[in-house]
Amino acid sequence: MEVSQEPNSLDAQFYQTADSFFAAYHGLALTYDDISLATLYSQILPRDTQLDVTLAEGLRLNIPIISADMDTVTESRMAIAMALNGGLGLIHYNMPEKEQLAEVSRVKKHVHGLIQEPATVTPDQLIGGILQTIEKHKFAFSTFPVVDKAGKLAGLLPGYVVKPRYAKRKVVEVMTPRRQLQTIKKKDLAADPISQADKFFSERPGIHMLLVVDEDDRLHGLFTLSDVEKIIQERNAQFKPARDANFRLICGAAVSATRNAFGDLDRERILQHVGAMVERGLDVVAVSTAHGFSKGVGDAVRMIRDAYPKLPIMAGNVTSAAGVEFLAECGANAVKVGQGPGSICTTRIVAGVGIPQLTALYVCSCAARKKKVAIIADGGITKSGDIVKALTLAHAVISGGLFAGSAEAPGQIMEIGGKLYKQYRGMGSFAAMRAGSAARYGHTAAAMQKVAPEGVEALKELSGSLDRILGQLIGGIQSGMGYLGAANLEQLRQRARYVRVSPAGMREAAPHDVYEVKAES
Ligand code: XMP
């Protein structure tokens, strides 16, 4: 049966388009939980929805999700996992520039399935010491390549000898020696290394690790049978990895508007560093600060735009139409929106500024349409429903909190009261600013004693692999799109109808009047 797609006048009175809804609430700033989206007639199955988005020429994501440039969220391991899932990771800048370059290189050189810097042991180590290392780092594996002091492959320590009963033995006594190991030369890895590794494992039953060496027999990485099997299965996945024109994973990195000793923008240093990252294949640079509608950020964006006319630039953060227009005019392709919504942020408490996120997104989206730039909803997202709401106004979302507890986030795992946690801290927290991010908040590292932190240091409960987390989030976004009859993100933005939710309505939205025995599978 054909169903009328004409707006129903009664529905339109209660469930309003963005323009009508936000205009009606112009005196009240709203955020995710303040609203709900109305369902519409749909012929779209969630699994058929498309989530790809182009944020700038040459910067296309297959899912609209970006991991935050925070020192407890995105380094190369996270950026690789994000890109493999179709998203993007922004490598943070709380590290020496040389290290940030190396992190970008790790992402761009990543061969799917090749563990490039595997944990190794040395021939003279004791098994007891290795057991302690496994316990300390919570490694889920116990087979290690053995390398000598010169980095050359000396053998393989099989997991079945890494047992307390052999604690006093040296690795060299129990390892499989080099001469018995099957390896592949790095230069012999073809365009499709996974198929090559797959063939290798099929031809050698019982072997579950393929070691990669260079001409001098130095270890350059390894493939494991379980990874290769997983990748072969994933080849049919709906959301493909996000890659550049040369089939490399995409990677972003953040920079700050660093100042020199005279208080001026450190032009030479910023340009040199961005240039070095571009040489390594960087796909997008993010000029990340707490206050993007400022001279320093504008100058930095303009300078990078002039030097690299084709490089996609993200800049922020802002919460006003004027801020979006300003950064767009300076040359940004995508503008980050969000001041104070983050789970570790205290900007609104400390500085008394910032706008609840949904109102900020609406205001910024109007300016972004005019200026033909993308906007990215940054911070405050705690569940997939928030992402659906954000994507009715923005082109993509950035999150730190959702990913900080994942296996791919940097940082030590700690155990408290029988539960496992990872550190998650605001880039404006005292500890993070001392480690280098002060410029993001307009402070110099030298004057740190007088600075009021705008973020907290916190913990996130361990939340498993990024694949699993993103799988849940993508499922939620696709459900939301199915309810709105949106086949793609453009249609989601057009079809959204909003309604204000009362505190009682919010209570109704979560499980209630039941004893919950299982929150998720
Ligand atoms: P979520 O909600 O994902 O937010 O934890 C991550 C975003 O928060 C911003 N950010 C901060 N904002 N003080 C702030 O006011 C801070 O210390 C801070 N650290 C990060 C940032 O935009 C990030 O993407």
Side-chain angles (χ1 to χ4, degrees):
M1 189 186 80
E2 272 303 298
V3 174
S4 165
Q5 293 280 306
E6 291 302 308
N8 175 297
S9 59
L10 188 60
D11 285 345
Q13 214 182 325
F14 286 89
Y15 313 137
Q16 297 178 313
T17 61
D19 286 340
S20 314
F21 177 79
F22 287 100
Y25 282 100
H26 70 268
L28 180 69
L30 303 171
T31 192
Y32 297 119
D33 281 344
D34 290 322
I35 66 112
S36 189
L37 297 169
T39 57
L40 292 172
Y41 174 69
S42 178
Q43 314 188 47
I44 306 294
L45 289 176
R47 65 163 186 267
D48 295 331
T49 55
Q50 301 296 321
L51 300 188
D52 57 292
V53 62
T54 299
L55 296 178
E57 206 183 316
L59 183 63
R60 184 167 178 270
L61 314 189
N62 293 327
I63 61 167
I65 305 179
I66 299 170
S67 64
D69 49 306
M70 299 172 71
D71 60 5
T72 46
V73 180
T74 310
E75 291 182 351
S76 53
R77 190 167 169 215
M78 174 67 74
I80 289 167
M82 286 299 301
L84 284 173
N85 279 284
L88 170 73
L90 296 175
I91 309 253
H92 70 88
Y93 56 68
N94 240 4
M95 59 178 102
E97 285 159 354
K98 226 171 108 191
E99 234 170 79
Q100 198 186 27
L101 286 179
E103 289 291 292
V104 170
S105 291
R106 281 189 190 112
V107 183
K108 298 306 293 184
K109 285 187 182 158
H110 177 79
V111 176
H112 196 8
L114 175 68
I115 300 168
Q116 293 191 60
E117 288 168 18
T120 57
V121 296
T122 54
D124 54 357
Q125 264 181 281
L126 290 177
I127 299 295
I130 293 169
L131 283 165
Q132 281 170 8
T133 310
I134 292 174
E135 171 65 23
K136 184 170 159 214
H137 294 286
K138 307 269 183 258
F139 286 152
F141 53 86
S142 54
T143 297
F144 296 87
V146 185
V147 291
D148 65 17
K149 286 200 177 72
K152 291 195 182 191
L153 185 62
L156 185 73
L157 182 68
Y160 58 78
V161 295
V162 185
K163 298 255 157 39
R165 74 170 64 239
Y166 306 121
K168 295 214 163 65
R169 301 244 189 186
K170 280 191 171 174
V171 167
V172 67
E173 297 172 50
V174 289
M175 70 184 191
T176 309
R178 171 67 184 100
R179 63 179 182 283
Q180 288 175 21
L181 295 182
Q182 310 241 20
T183 57
I184 187 166
K185 291 244 161 64
K186 197 175 171 208
K187 71 171 176 45
D188 295 334
L189 283 180
D192 187 358
I194 289 301
S195 300
Q196 226 174 328
D198 189 41
K199 186 161 171 279
F200 173 92
F201 289 126
S202 297
E203 288 167 358
R204 295 166 182 82
I207 293 188
H208 59 96
M209 200 176 265
L210 170 57
L211 301 162
V212 181
V213 292
D214 66 11
E215 296 299 286
D216 298 323
D217 215 30
R218 262 189 274 271
L219 185 69
H220 274 260
L222 58 85
F223 293 94
T224 68
L225 175 60
S226 56
D227 279 359
V228 169
E229 283 182 341
K230 206 166 96 203
I231 293 162
I232 299 269
Q233 265 173 21
E234 281 168 5
R235 280 200 169 158
N236 299 325
Q238 188 183 6
F239 300 105
K240 306 264 184 275
R243 297 190 186 276
D244 65 15
N246 298 315
F247 209 63
R248 297 174 301 182
L249 295 179
I250 61 167
C251 177
V255 296
S256 71
T258 328
R259 292 176 184 279
N260 60 23
F262 307 104
D264 302 323
L265 196 66
D266 202 338
R267 291 171 181 273
E268 212 173 304
R269 182 169 164 188
I270 298 172
L271 275 190
Q272 206 175 37
H273 181 51
V274 171
M277 292 198 287
V278 169
E279 253 171 50
R280 281 160 176 77
L282 188 76
D283 298 276
V284 54
V285 67
V287 182
S288 277
T289 65
H291 189 19
F293 191 16
S294 59
K295 182 172 179 332
V297 177
D299 287 350
V301 172
R302 228 179 264 121
M303 177 181 77
I304 297 171
R305 174 54 67 232
D306 288 347
Y308 301 98
K310 294 219 156 116
L311 177 68
I313 302 177
M314 251 179 225
N317 282 20
V318 301
T319 45
S320 64
V324 173
E325 288 178 13
F326 169 73
L327 290 175
E329 278 160 21
C330 291
N333 305 93
V335 178
K336 295 207 282 168
V337 176
Q339 284 172 322
S343 57
I344 33 51
C345 301
T346 52
T347 293
R348 292 190 196 155
I349 296 163
V350 171
V353 304
I355 306 290
Q357 189 68 340
L358 219 53
T359 294
L361 286 174
Y362 172 69
V363 171
C364 291
S365 72
C366 297
R369 234 184 349 259
K370 205 165 96 192
K371 289 289 176 187
K372 299 197 171 23
V373 292
I375 57 165
I376 302 172
D378 182 7
I381 287 165
T382 59
K383 48 202 176 294
S384 56
D386 296 347
I387 304 184
V388 178
K389 293 173 188 178
L391 291 174
T392 63
L393 299 164
H395 299 81
V397 299
I398 291 182
S399 179
L402 291 176
F403 308 132
S406 72
E408 288 79 0
Q412 291 271 342
I413 295 169
M414 53 192 103
E415 192 178 330
I416 303 172
K419 280 193 170 171
L420 298 176
Y421 298 88
K422 269 193 172 180
Q423 185 194 23
Y424 180 41
R425 67 184 185 190
M427 292 296 276
S429 66
F430 203 68
M433 286 203 287
R434 226 178 6 226
S437 65
R440 185 180 183 126
Y441 292 84
H443 307 301
T444 57
M448 281 291 297
Q449 305 88 307
K450 294 203 184 113
V451 163
E454 289 178 34
V456 297
E457 293 172 58
L459 296 176
K460 288 296 277 191
E461 206 173 320
L462 221 60
S463 51
S465 75
L466 189 76
D467 290 2
R468 197 190 67 85
I469 297 168
L470 284 176
Q472 297 276 318
L473 296 177
I474 290 168
I477 300 170
Q478 290 192 297
S479 277
M481 291 170 72
Y483 278 115
L484 268 69
N488 54 45
L489 295 176
E490 172 70 41
Q491 288 183 12
L492 178 65
R493 288 196 292 275
Q494 287 163 4
R495 291 173 72 85
R497 301 288 180 271
Y498 305 80
V499 67
R500 176 88 165 90
V501 174
S502 66
M506 246 183 76
R507 259 197 316 280
E508 184 186 67
H512 54 86
D513 299 301
V514 291
Y515 290 107
E516 205 167 315
V517 285
K518 204 159 186 231
E520 56 181 283
S521 59

